[in-house]
Each structure stands twice: as structure tokens, then as C-alpha cells.
Amino acid sequence: MGTTQTVNLAAAKKSGTYLYLVCLVAALGGFLFGFDTAVISGTVSLVKNDFSLNAVSEGWFVSCALLGCIIGVSFSGKLSDKYGRKIVLILSAVLFLASALGCMLTSSFNELIIFRLIGGLGIGVASMVSPLYISEFSPSRYRGMMVSLYQLALTIGIVLAYFTNAYLANHAGDQYGTGLMHTIFSAEVWRAMLGLGAVPAAIFLVSLFMVPESPRWLLLKGEEQKAKVILIKIDGPDAAAKEIKAFKEQDDNDDTSLKELFKPVYRKALWIGLLLPFLSQVCGINAVIYYGPRILEQAGFTLNNALGGQVTIGLVNVVFTFVAIFTIDKWGRKPLLYVGVGGAVVSLIIIGALFALGVTSGPWILIFILAFIACFAFSFGPVCWVVVGEIFPNAVRGKAMALATLSLWIGNFLVGQLTPVMLEGLGSSWTFWLFALCCSPALWITWKLIPETKGRSLENIENYWKETHKAGARN
């Protein structure tokens, strides 16, 4: 499937299998993103005990990778625009692999932090480039579903991390030989939890050498012949001709620097790109992902039962992502956001009330945490990536996606660093009420700023901003 082998137009034929396989490979970046961010939940208490961490150090252990994400995102947009989406995805896979092996074999807490930072660089790069690549690769009528595959892979990565964490925790007392094997799988089982990420990272790295470059990036670089072959294989010759024609009709004078985004014509797109990803994190989703076992322990679960509850959370996350996959290109982006964000706000308010009233026995807190996860899984989770991948102009999409993803990771970093402090200082009830307050502005943004983009080509969406701006100027 590599671009060097797809230069013969006569041999190019449409293949639905080709489309799905390429998008699934790119979605593996989401799998690693999910696995790496969720695996931390089972290691926090273990690492805390082994290294005698306080609340600040505990938060740093979790959020240092998020700082790496911020750094990774900051350079990934420029690199992907200059060198291509594929080569930057390969870089992310190498970083994932180095991080997993390093965390497993580390000899000190400082080294552990360094390798977590390296993993964060990989997550940051993949979190931007994977959905960008899929968005540019997919036909408009399937784009919502294909980009949602990224979120599905992310949720599967999360649930697999929960499963492996629970399994390794339950078998930590078993004897696995002596020396290093005993240390990794018995004495300090958090090493095995973090090290298992090396397996999917290696698979991702090898698979990336078999996929082509993004056809829109090839068009930006003047490689029309290569782009046309790929587009024909994706959606047939007629659709390929239309895509190339629409691309050529774009204004060649568009600035390729980020200054383009700050022009009045793209101001709404910029606000959407900055606010929607940020709010998708400060709603508290990763407080549950990272600190779920601790929250469930406060609700009366034992550690092993809390890890089991975390597995249930992960499964619900996967199942309800399918709702978005099968409906986002039929119902549209905005209806899913209205229903999902509204349900998430209500769930968070109820969770806070249950903690405030002391209703910590029985399943109620877990039930409403699951309701919150379900609402996030078919709305904020996938729709955010879909919308952000659609709204920016071709000339600066890589840089703009990096800016939007940077906003996401800043929100994620704040949640990762502050959640332990909030749980200790504010208590569980006010922590969840604060998340509800942070989540609710997304409803206004959906109503006022976000256009419905289902079924539109990326070039059509770019023209929409220009036409809207011209109409506003006339009025």
C-alpha cells in the first residue's frame, strides 16, 4: 500500500477494503493513546507506595506524560505539514515503543518520569496526526465514521489497559521466576503494566510502513499523480476527479502560516478548535480514566473491585462509541453533542450529589459514572475529533490541528495534575460539580458556533467559512 508502489493510474481500482485497512492502521495511534493514558490508573497506588509519593508527586507522575503530550503536539503540526503525515506517525510509534520499554526497566523515579515524558511525546504526536490523517484520507460521506474509528481504537486501548491491569494485579502474588522477571511481574507489577504497551507500539510501527501518504498532503506538495492513484483506490475515478478539481479551485493565495487562522474569515473555526477540545477534557473524563480506582475506593469499593469497576467503565466506553460510528454520518455532529453533553452534565451533578449525601454504598455512584462515560463516548469523545479534523482550511490544517490538540492536552494536563489535590481539598462532591460546570459551555458552543458538517467535503467546509464571512460583511 506504500506510495512508491502506487504510481500506475491504469492499475488503480476502487477498494473498500483498502480504505478500511488504511484507516484502521492510522487508528492504532488512538489505541496507543488510549492504552498509555489509561494504564496509569492501575499503577498510581503501586508507584505511590514504592516511591513514597505525596499528592503533588502523585499528580506529577500522572501528568508528566501530559506535559510531554503538549510538547509533542507543539512540533507535530509543523513536522507533518513539512515532511508528511506518515513519517510523523512513524515517529510517534518509535516514541511509544521507547517509553514502554524504558518504564518497564527503569531504576529510579526520575528515570520513570523521563520515560513517561517520552511516551507523552508519542501520545501528543499521534493524538494530532492520526485523526488528521484519517480525516484527509476518508471520503466525505464516510468521514465521520472513519474518524470515529480512531476514538473506538482509543476506547479499546483504554479497556485493554484496564483488563491487563486487573489481571496483573490479581496475579501479582504468583511466582514468575527470579531476578528481573520476578521484579516485573510480581514484586513491582506496575512495570509489567507499563511495559505491555511495547507490543501494540511495535505492531503500529511495522504497519505504518505499509500505508500511503495522505492524498491531500500529496496535493499540497504538487504530487497530483500519486494523490490521484490513492484517491481512486479510496473512492473510484469519478470521486477522485471531483476531489482534485475541488482542491485546485481553492485559493492558491491562502497563507500557509498560522496567521491564516487569525483572519476574521476563520475566527469561528479557531474558537471551535480551541474551546471544544479543551472542554472535552475539563469535563472530567480523564479524572475517571486516571483516578477511577481511587474514586471508586472512596465510594466503598476495595482496590481489586475498583479495578474491576474500571474494566466495566472501559467496556461501556467502547460500546457507546459504536453509537457515534453508526449515527454520526446519518444524524450529524450537532445532535450527538446536544444529547451527549447534556447527559454528561446531568450525570456529573448527580454523582456529586451522591457523594455529598453520603450515598456511597451500593452501585449508584458506579451507575452514574457509567452514564457519564456513555454520554461522553458517543458525543464529546468522537465528535470532537471529527469536527476539529473538518473545520480548518487545507493550507494550514496540520498546524491548526496541532493548535487544537494542544488545547486538548492543556486541559488534560490540568485535570491530571489537579484531580488528586481537588479530591483531597474539595472532596469528591465539589470535584464532580466543578466538572459539570466546566462541561456545560459546550452546549452553547454547539448551538452558536459549530456548523453541521455531515456529508460535506473538506473543501466545501472551507468555502462555507468564506461565504459566511462575505455574507456577514454585506450585512
Side-chain angles (χ1 to χ4, degrees):
M1 289 188 287
T3 55
T4 58
Q5 300 174 353
T6 54
V7 293
N8 187 354
L9 278 174
K13 294 181 180 179
K14 179 180 177 180
S15 171
T17 303
Y18 177 79
L19 171 63
Y20 279 98
L21 285 177
V22 172
C23 288
L24 284 172
V25 169
L28 284 174
F31 177 91
L32 286 166
F33 172 3
F35 185 92
D36 200 271
T37 53
V39 74
I40 200 71
S41 66
T43 68
V44 172
S45 60
L46 301 173
V47 171
K48 182 179 180 180
N49 290 334
D50 282 353
F51 293 103
S52 302
L53 306 181
N54 56 28
V56 175
S57 297
E58 178 188 359
W60 177 231
F61 168 60
V62 173
S63 60
C64 67
L66 307 181
L67 180 60
C69 293
I70 292 171
I71 298 170
V73 168
S74 67
F75 66 73
S76 60
K78 187 173 183 179
L79 286 181
S80 69
D81 278 346
K82 185 173 183 179
Y83 299 107
R85 318 314 191 195
K86 177 178 173 176
I87 192 67
V88 180
L89 283 174
I90 290 172
L91 172 64
S92 74
V94 171
L95 292 169
F96 276 124
L97 185 59
S99 173
L101 294 175
C103 287
M104 183 172 65
L105 301 173
T106 184
S107 59
S108 69
F109 181 67
N110 287 337
E111 284 186 12
L112 180 60
I113 293 297
I114 290 171
F115 284 112
R116 287 284 296 153
L117 279 166
I118 291 172
L121 292 174
I123 298 170
V125 171
S127 67
M128 191 285 287
V129 184
S130 285
L132 167 64
Y133 178 94
I134 298 171
S135 181
E136 291 186 336
F137 196 84
S138 305
S140 57
R141 65 186 182 281
Y142 299 134
R143 190 171 56 245
M145 180 174 68
M146 291 298 169
V147 177
S148 295
L149 288 177
Y150 170 82
Q151 179 68 16
L152 177 64
L154 191 155
T155 62
I156 292 173
I158 289 172
V159 78
L160 186 62
Y162 291 159
F163 268 117
T164 55
N165 280 355
Y167 178 85
L168 290 168
N170 287 330
H171 291 81
D174 298 348
Q175 293 300 314
Y176 290 95
T178 58
L180 185 61
M181 289 293 289
H182 175 76
T183 300
I184 292 173
F185 291 99
S186 295
E188 298 175 1
V189 72
W190 55 266
R191 294 178 181 274
M193 294 176 177
L194 295 172
L196 279 176
V199 177
I203 295 171
F204 185 41
L205 179 59
V206 172
S207 300
L208 282 170
F209 287 100
M210 297 183 287
V211 302
E213 182 54 81
S214 158
R216 278 186 171 79
W217 184 84
L218 290 171
L219 287 171
L220 282 170
K221 298 301 177 180
E223 298 279 359
E224 183 179 331
Q225 189 83 348
K226 290 182 180 179
K228 189 172 184 179
V229 173
I230 297 167
L231 289 168
I232 289 172
K233 293 182 74 173
I234 294 168
D235 207 20
D238 292 340
K242 289 179 182 178
E243 292 276 2
I244 293 172
K245 182 175 181 290
F247 183 89
K248 288 181 175 180
E249 288 174 350
Q250 297 298 300
D251 187 356
D252 291 334
N253 295 320
D254 281 351
D255 194 346
T256 58
S257 71
L258 270 178
K259 291 186 293 184
E260 180 76 4
L261 276 182
F262 292 89
K263 294 179 180 179
V265 61
Y266 296 122
R267 195 163 290 160
K268 278 190 178 181
L270 178 62
W271 279 116
I272 295 167
L274 292 176
L275 293 176
L276 194 64
F278 182 81
L279 294 174
S280 76
Q281 299 307 297
V282 297
C283 73
I285 183 62
N286 283 315
V288 177
I289 301 298
Y290 299 145
Y291 300 103
R294 176 173 173 177
I295 293 168
L296 292 174
E297 282 185 272
Q298 289 186 1
F301 291 80
T302 64
L303 176 59
N304 282 347
N305 285 337
L307 288 172
Q310 196 78 337
V311 169
T312 305
I313 288 170
L315 288 173
V316 169
N317 203 6
V318 172
V319 170
F320 279 87
T321 301
F322 280 102
V323 175
I325 288 174
F326 293 122
T327 62
I328 192 167
D329 288 319
K330 294 180 181 178
W331 298 352
R333 288 56 165 151
K334 296 182 70 163
L336 291 180
L337 283 174
Y338 281 131
V339 175
V341 174
V345 170
V346 171
S347 299
L348 289 166
I349 292 171
I350 293 174
I351 294 167
L354 290 171
F355 273 114
L357 296 172
V359 185
T360 56
S361 60
W364 292 108
I365 286 178
L366 179 58
I367 287 172
F368 282 100
I369 286 177
L370 294 177
F372 165 66
I373 293 292
C375 291
F376 181 92
F378 70 78
S379 61
F380 248 156
V383 178
C384 175
W385 294 114
V386 172
V387 169
V388 169
E390 294 175 326
I391 59 175
F392 296 118
N394 282 318
V396 292
R397 184 170 293 112
K399 297 183 183 74
M401 279 281 288
L403 194 63
T405 312
L406 178 64
S407 171
L408 179 144
W409 285 113
I410 290 172
N412 201 332
F413 176 81
L414 291 173
V415 170
Q417 184 67 46
L418 296 178
T419 295
V421 178
M422 290 194 298
L423 288 171
E424 285 191 8
L426 298 176
S428 297
S429 56
W430 279 104
T431 297
F432 278 95
W433 286 337
L434 185 59
F435 288 146
L437 182 64
C438 292
C439 184
S440 54
L443 291 169
W444 183 88
I445 292 170
T446 303
W447 174 45
K448 279 292 188 180
L449 299 182
I450 298 176
E452 184 52 72
T453 54
K454 70 171 182 177
R456 293 182 173 184
S457 70
L458 297 178
E459 289 74 24
N460 179 271
I461 296 167
E462 183 173 343
N463 287 331
Y464 165 82
W465 296 121
K466 294 176 179 178
E467 291 167 3
T468 303
H469 176 67
K470 288 178 182 177
R474 286 195 298 268
N475 295 331

